[in-house]
């Protein structure tokens, strides 16, 4: 399996521009025959949880919002798996930091919601709640799991993934504050 990990600095309040930049990196990874492309946490916006401002709640998107719709299209176009993390609104008043596994058909094959919202040099806990599980997903012949940013600091995250059957754990990069 060929994995492409994308790290990019997202620009302030330029969601569409950030998404287009990510699509360029996805195309490059697909040309290099990547089977799965992993985008960083909140790639579509700047790392907003370092500030206290209610206007950032407007960054939240549903799984069928503009960012994930574009990512589904890219996965389908290139026939790849794609891991795309957004500030998700699950329903009014319920927000998560969610990594979604998008399959080559452009469908969401699974979700992992960051379990430990960061509290060190960050205000993530005022923007979203933590998830409660470390799911694993079947990707061809592999069983994989994800751990995002602050979750990577807790050995229990990887232990839970391993106990759930993960043969490969992808540590999703966070954005530098």
């Amino acid at each position: 399996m060929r994995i492409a990990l994308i790290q990019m600095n997202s620009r302030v309040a330029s969601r569409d521009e950030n998404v287009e930049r990510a699509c360029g990196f996805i195309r490059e990874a697909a040309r290099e025959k990547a089977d799965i492309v992993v985008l960083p946490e909140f790639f579509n916006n700047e790392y907003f949880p370092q500030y206290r401002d209610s206007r950032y709640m407007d960054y939240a998107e549903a799984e069928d919002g503009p960012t994930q719709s574009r990512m589904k299209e890219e996965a389908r176009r290139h026939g790849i798996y794609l891991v795309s993390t957004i500030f998700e609104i699950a329903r009014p008043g319920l927000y998560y930091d969610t990594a979604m596994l998008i399959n080559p058909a452009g469908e969401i094959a699974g979700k992992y919601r960051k379990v430990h919202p960061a509290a060190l040099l960050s205000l993530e806990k005022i923007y979203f709640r933590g998830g409660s599980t470390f799911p694993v997903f079947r990707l061809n012949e592999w069983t994989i799991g994800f751990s995002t940013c602050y979750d990577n600091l807790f050995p229990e995250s990887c232990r839970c993934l391993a106990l759930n059957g993960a043969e490969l754990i992808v540590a999703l990069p966070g954005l530098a504050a």
Side-chain angles (χ1 to χ4, degrees):
M1 175 185 315
R2 295 186 88 158
I3 302 172
L5 302 174
I6 296 173
Q7 186 67 348
M8 57 185 274
N9 290 323
S10 298
R11 299 191 174 101
V12 176
S14 301
R15 183 195 66 214
D16 294 340
E17 182 180 328
N18 293 327
V19 169
E20 286 309 310
R21 286 181 60 233
C23 288
F25 291 127
I26 293 166
R27 282 190 292 278
E28 185 178 330
R31 278 194 299 272
E32 296 294 323
K33 307 281 191 250
D35 298 302
I36 181 170
V37 177
V38 181
L39 294 163
E41 177 185 39
F42 301 143
F43 73 95
N44 62 336
N45 291 302
E46 83 269 23
Y47 181 72
F48 63 90
Q50 61 189 325
Y51 307 109
R52 182 184 297 261
D53 192 330
S54 61
R55 70 184 169 98
Y56 292 122
M57 300 308 286
D58 294 338
Y59 284 5
E61 297 182 34
E63 68 178 46
D64 59 354
T67 298
Q68 295 304 57
S69 293
R70 186 63 201 277
M71 293 302 102
K72 291 174 189 176
E73 180 182 308
E74 288 297 307
R76 190 171 39 253
R77 174 179 294 129
H78 300 293
I80 60 170
Y81 285 91
L82 183 59
V83 180
S84 175
T85 303
I86 63 167
F87 178 36
E88 180 196 22
I89 181 169
R91 64 176 188 260
L94 188 59
Y95 301 86
Y96 294 99
D97 179 353
T98 305
M100 298 182 195
L101 176 63
I102 302 170
N103 67 24
E107 303 161 336
I108 294 174
K111 291 184 184 184
Y112 148 69
R113 291 174 168 148
K114 185 190 239 176
V115 172
H116 302 96
L120 180 64
L121 301 175
S122 172
L123 300 169
E124 288 183 358
K125 287 185 176 190
I126 69 170
Y127 290 103
F128 53 86
R129 70 175 55 188
S132 58
T133 63
F134 290 96
V136 296
F137 310 99
R138 197 75 185 147
L139 196 147
N140 298 328
E141 68 275 2
W142 291 86
T143 300
I144 66 169
F146 307 110
S147 180
T148 300
C149 193
Y150 200 63
D151 279 352
N152 295 326
L153 300 179
F154 299 92
E156 294 84 2
S157 302
C158 289
R159 179 174 164 77
C160 288
L161 287 166
L163 289 172
N164 287 337
E167 299 167 298
L168 173 66
I169 297 171
V170 177
L172 291 128
L175 296 174

